[in-house]
PDB file of all heavy atoms in Angstrom:
ATOM      1  N   GLU W 301     104.156  87.423  81.911  1.00  0.00           N
ATOM      2  CA  GLU W 301     104.062  86.453  83.005  1.00  0.00           C
ATOM      3  C   GLU W 301     103.171  86.993  84.109  1.00  0.00           C
ATOM      4  O   GLU W 301     103.071  88.196  84.314  1.00  0.00           O
ATOM      5  CB  GLU W 301     105.444  86.188  83.594  1.00  0.00           C
ATOM      6  CG  GLU W 301     106.435  85.588  82.628  1.00  0.00           C
ATOM      7  CD  GLU W 301     107.805  85.399  83.259  1.00  0.00           C
ATOM      8  OE1 GLU W 301     107.894  85.336  84.499  1.00  0.00           O
ATOM      9  OE2 GLU W 301     108.777  85.329  82.498  1.00  0.00           O
ATOM     10  N   LEU W 302     102.567  86.060  84.829  1.00  0.00           N
ATOM     11  CA  LEU W 302     101.775  86.416  86.000  1.00  0.00           C
ATOM     12  C   LEU W 302     102.442  85.812  87.224  1.00  0.00           C
ATOM     13  O   LEU W 302     102.591  84.604  87.324  1.00  0.00           O
ATOM     14  CB  LEU W 302     100.342  85.864  85.882  1.00  0.00           C
ATOM     15  CG  LEU W 302      99.466  85.982  87.132  1.00  0.00           C
ATOM     16  CD1 LEU W 302      99.242  87.445  87.505  1.00  0.00           C
ATOM     17  CD2 LEU W 302      98.145  85.272  86.927  1.00  0.00           C
ATOM     18  N   HIS W 303     102.863  86.662  88.122  1.00  0.00           N
ATOM     19  CA  HIS W 303     103.449  86.212  89.381  1.00  0.00           C
ATOM     20  C   HIS W 303     102.341  86.232  90.429  1.00  0.00           C
ATOM     21  O   HIS W 303     101.478  87.117  90.426  1.00  0.00           O
ATOM     22  CB  HIS W 303     104.595  87.139  89.785  1.00  0.00           C
ATOM     23  CG  HIS W 303     105.406  86.637  90.927  1.00  0.00           C
ATOM     24  ND1 HIS W 303     104.997  86.777  92.228  1.00  0.00           N
ATOM     25  CD2 HIS W 303     106.584  85.984  90.960  1.00  0.00           C
ATOM     26  CE1 HIS W 303     105.890  86.240  93.028  1.00  0.00           C
ATOM     27  NE2 HIS W 303     106.874  85.740  92.285  1.00  0.00           N
ATOM     28  N   GLU W 304     102.355  85.282  91.346  1.00  0.00           N
ATOM     29  CA  GLU W 304     101.292  85.188  92.351  1.00  0.00           C
ATOM     30  C   GLU W 304     101.187  86.448  93.210  1.00  0.00           C
ATOM     31  O   GLU W 304     100.098  86.808  93.664  1.00  0.00           O
ATOM     32  CB  GLU W 304     101.467  83.956  93.232  1.00  0.00           C
ATOM     33  CG  GLU W 304     102.712  83.986  94.100  1.00  0.00           C
ATOM     34  CD  GLU W 304     102.912  82.696  94.877  1.00  0.00           C
ATOM     35  OE1 GLU W 304     103.370  81.722  94.281  1.00  0.00           O
ATOM     36  OE2 GLU W 304     102.606  82.706  96.082  1.00  0.00           O
ATOM     37  N   LEU W 305     102.290  87.137  93.443  1.00  0.00           N
ATOM     38  CA  LEU W 305     102.228  88.378  94.225  1.00  0.00           C
ATOM     39  C   LEU W 305     101.502  89.480  93.454  1.00  0.00           C
ATOM     40  O   LEU W 305     100.768  90.279  94.041  1.00  0.00           O
ATOM     41  CB  LEU W 305     103.632  88.830  94.629  1.00  0.00           C
ATOM     42  CG  LEU W 305     104.346  87.928  95.629  1.00  0.00           C
ATOM     43  CD1 LEU W 305     105.785  88.394  95.841  1.00  0.00           C
ATOM     44  CD2 LEU W 305     103.605  87.879  96.952  1.00  0.00           C
ATOM     45  N   GLU W 306     101.708  89.531  92.142  1.00  0.00           N
ATOM     46  CA  GLU W 306     100.998  90.509  91.320  1.00  0.00           C
ATOM     47  C   GLU W 306      99.494  90.203  91.332  1.00  0.00           C
ATOM     48  O   GLU W 306      98.676  91.107  91.483  1.00  0.00           O
ATOM     49  CB  GLU W 306     101.518  90.469  89.888  1.00  0.00           C
ATOM     50  CG  GLU W 306     102.962  90.898  89.748  1.00  0.00           C
ATOM     51  CD  GLU W 306     103.557  90.555  88.398  1.00  0.00           C
ATOM     52  OE1 GLU W 306     103.152  89.549  87.784  1.00  0.00           O
ATOM     53  OE2 GLU W 306     104.451  91.305  87.962  1.00  0.00           O
ATOM     54  N   ASP W 307      99.166  88.937  91.182  1.00  0.00           N
ATOM     55  CA  ASP W 307      97.776  88.514  91.214  1.00  0.00           C
ATOM     56  C   ASP W 307      97.131  88.917  92.540  1.00  0.00           C
ATOM     57  O   ASP W 307      96.010  89.427  92.579  1.00  0.00           O
ATOM     58  CB  ASP W 307      97.693  86.999  91.001  1.00  0.00           C
ATOM     59  CG  ASP W 307      96.271  86.496  90.891  1.00  0.00           C
ATOM     60  OD1 ASP W 307      95.479  87.089  90.134  1.00  0.00           O
ATOM     61  OD2 ASP W 307      95.954  85.489  91.558  1.00  0.00           O
ATOM     62  N   ASN W 308      97.857  88.711  93.631  1.00  0.00           N
ATOM     63  CA  ASN W 308      97.350  89.048  94.949  1.00  0.00           C
ATOM     64  C   ASN W 308      97.123  90.548  95.103  1.00  0.00           C
ATOM     65  O   ASN W 308      96.119  90.975  95.693  1.00  0.00           O
ATOM     66  CB  ASN W 308      98.295  88.532  96.040  1.00  0.00           C
ATOM     67  CG  ASN W 308      97.759  88.798  97.422  1.00  0.00           C
ATOM     68  OD1 ASN W 308      98.089  89.814  98.032  1.00  0.00           O
ATOM     69  ND2 ASN W 308      96.913  87.897  97.911  1.00  0.00           N
ATOM     70  N   VAL W 309      98.028  91.356  94.581  1.00  0.00           N
ATOM     71  CA  VAL W 309      97.869  92.816  94.666  1.00  0.00           C
ATOM     72  C   VAL W 309      96.612  93.255  93.930  1.00  0.00           C
ATOM     73  O   VAL W 309      95.809  94.033  94.454  1.00  0.00           O
ATOM     74  CB  VAL W 309      99.109  93.558  94.120  1.00  0.00           C
ATOM     75  CG1 VAL W 309      98.820  95.043  93.940  1.00  0.00           C
ATOM     76  CG2 VAL W 309     100.301  93.364  95.040  1.00  0.00           C
ATOM     77  N   VAL W 310      96.421  92.742  92.711  1.00  0.00           N
ATOM     78  CA  VAL W 310      95.230  93.132  91.950  1.00  0.00           C
ATOM     79  C   VAL W 310      93.975  92.687  92.682  1.00  0.00           C
ATOM     80  O   VAL W 310      92.994  93.437  92.760  1.00  0.00           O
ATOM     81  CB  VAL W 310      95.263  92.584  90.509  1.00  0.00           C
ATOM     82  CG1 VAL W 310      93.989  92.955  89.766  1.00  0.00           C
ATOM     83  CG2 VAL W 310      96.480  93.107  89.757  1.00  0.00           C
ATOM     84  N   TRP W 311      93.991  91.485  93.227  1.00  0.00           N
ATOM     85  CA  TRP W 311      92.841  90.987  93.980  1.00  0.00           C
ATOM     86  C   TRP W 311      92.532  91.913  95.154  1.00  0.00           C
ATOM     87  O   TRP W 311      91.374  92.297  95.369  1.00  0.00           O
ATOM     88  CB  TRP W 311      93.126  89.558  94.479  1.00  0.00           C
ATOM     89  CG  TRP W 311      92.098  89.039  95.420  1.00  0.00           C
ATOM     90  CD1 TRP W 311      90.860  88.563  95.107  1.00  0.00           C
ATOM     91  CD2 TRP W 311      92.210  88.984  96.854  1.00  0.00           C
ATOM     92  NE1 TRP W 311      90.196  88.198  96.261  1.00  0.00           N
ATOM     93  CE2 TRP W 311      90.998  88.445  97.343  1.00  0.00           C
ATOM     94  CE3 TRP W 311      93.206  89.321  97.760  1.00  0.00           C
ATOM     95  CZ2 TRP W 311      90.766  88.250  98.700  1.00  0.00           C
ATOM     96  CZ3 TRP W 311      92.968  89.123  99.104  1.00  0.00           C
ATOM     97  CH2 TRP W 311      91.761  88.595  99.560  1.00  0.00           C
TER      98      TRP W 311
END
Side-chain angles (χ1 to χ4, degrees):
E301 298 178 22
L302 171 63
H303 190 280
E304 66 185 78
L305 292 174
E306 295 167 329
D307 185 48
N308 183 266
V309 168
V310 178
W311 172 77

